[in-house]
Amino acid sequence: MKRFSSSKRAVNNVVKGEIKWELRPGGMLVQKRDMGDASSGPMIKIKVSHGAFHHDITVPAQSTFGDLKKVLVQETGLEPKERLLFQGKEKDDEECLHMVGVKDMSKVVLLEDPASKERKLEEMKRNQSVLKACEEVAKVRAEVVQLSDKVNALEGIVHGGTKVNEKELLGLTELLMVQLLQLDTIEANGEAKVQRRAEVRRAQRLVDTLDNMKARNSNPFSSSGKSEAFECASPAFPSSTRITHDWEVFD
């Protein structure tokens, strides 16, 4: 009767979800264990080789290869799809380390997925390309900043009513156009593309400013010239005065 009660309690626990089961390699049905249960046992150090790299990973002895793979992802940045080999055989994520003979200081080989490796190589190339483009844009930015200082200085002079040498304005315009052409030759993506667009706008604004300065420089007093000409053409006496040829005779 007591044995029946124990079995009944076990069935109730399973129904309540307190006990979960899993099928181990070889067809053995055992209680499912989570990482929290494994962490309560002894720890072992595993030597994992990945190409020319080696990693010493410490995990609970009751861990699975999937648990080991999760730690490797955090340590190496590799994707969870990578394969783990022990004693020349690939292991599934569900297999337990201790059940296949993995002990302290055992060696495990990590094989990177070819597709994943190819993606990383492509990403590395893209990053290098973006970095190179950013450096080229930075060189142009330095030139444009220097030209911007010169444009601002001339703009203050022209707005003050003083004429400047027309060749200075033309020279600055040509230098800015050279920088715009240089930006156009830079193949940029991502952040480099954003930076290139910003420098193109900056250089174009300076070119527009120089064009406005050329028009103003040709006639520094154009804003007041019209009023002065009108005043010179106006009569020296009030407009209400009428001139006649009727003479009044006094005795």
Side-chain angles (χ1 to χ4, degrees):
M1 186 68 179
K2 185 177 181 179
R3 181 181 301 175
F4 175 76
S5 299
S6 299
S7 299
K8 186 176 180 179
R9 284 196 300 271
V11 172
N12 290 337
N13 288 338
V14 173
V15 173
K16 293 178 181 179
E18 297 179 5
I19 298 178
K20 297 181 180 179
W21 304 89
E22 64 179 354
L23 187 64
R24 293 284 179 84
M28 182 182 299
L29 184 65
V30 297
Q31 182 179 344
K32 189 173 182 179
R33 169 198 50 78
D34 57 23
M35 195 64 180
D37 297 332
S39 61
S40 61
M43 306 293 288
I44 59 174
K45 180 182 290 186
I46 301 175
K47 292 185 174 294
V48 181
S49 62
H50 170 229
F53 302 96
H54 299 275
H55 308 277
D56 292 335
I57 306 298
T58 301
V59 295
Q62 304 296 319
S63 301
T64 64
F65 280 90
D67 298 330
L68 175 60
K69 190 178 294 185
K70 291 178 182 177
V71 178
L72 284 169
V73 169
Q74 297 176 354
E75 292 287 335
T76 64
L78 297 174
E79 297 183 6
K81 297 180 180 180
E82 317 301 353
R83 297 179 295 165
L84 291 177
L85 277 69
F86 177 65
Q87 295 180 345
K89 296 181 180 180
E90 183 177 352
K91 299 300 177 182
D92 296 329
D93 291 350
E94 295 78 14
E95 294 187 70
C96 294
L97 300 176
H98 68 283
M99 293 189 66
V100 297
V102 177
K103 302 177 181 179
D104 190 47
M105 303 304 291
S106 290
K107 296 182 179 179
V108 175
V109 177
L110 173 65
L111 292 182
E112 190 172 359
D113 180 66
S116 174
K117 188 175 182 179
E118 185 67 23
R119 287 195 299 271
K120 289 182 180 180
L121 290 175
E122 290 296 329
E123 183 178 358
M124 185 180 299
K125 292 179 181 178
R126 286 196 300 269
N127 292 338
Q128 291 177 348
S129 176
V130 170
L131 181 60
K132 181 180 179 181
C134 286
E135 292 175 351
E136 293 177 355
V137 172
K139 293 179 181 179
V140 175
R141 183 186 302 114
E143 295 293 332
V144 173
V145 168
Q146 292 182 359
L147 294 173
S148 176
D149 294 337
K150 296 179 180 180
V151 171
N152 293 335
L154 290 178
E155 187 178 19
I157 295 174
V158 173
H159 283 188
T162 303
K163 294 188 66 173
V164 298
N165 191 335
E166 190 78 13
K167 292 183 178 180
E168 291 188 63
L169 301 178
L170 293 174
L172 287 173
T173 300
E174 291 178 359
L175 291 175
L176 285 168
M177 294 303 297
V178 169
Q179 298 306 319
L180 284 170
L181 291 174
Q182 181 64 28
L183 288 169
D184 190 54
T185 62
I186 299 175
E187 296 184 5
N189 293 298
E191 178 61 24
K193 188 174 183 179
V194 174
Q195 295 183 16
R196 184 186 65 179
R197 186 184 301 116
E199 293 310 313
V200 168
R201 291 175 178 174
R202 187 210 298 261
Q204 189 60 57
R205 283 196 299 268
L206 291 173
V207 171
D208 293 340
T209 299
L210 287 168
D211 289 340
N212 294 332
M213 289 168 58
K214 291 174 187 176
R216 190 181 183 94
N217 188 58
S218 61
N219 188 2
F221 301 100
S222 59
S223 59
S224 58
K226 290 183 179 180
S227 59
E228 291 177 356
F230 178 76
E231 290 175 359
C232 293
S234 300
F237 40 82
S239 59
S240 59
T241 304
R242 292 185 304 165
I243 301 176
T244 65
H245 295 284
D246 295 333
W247 299 94
E248 183 177 356
V249 180
F250 295 92
D251 294 331

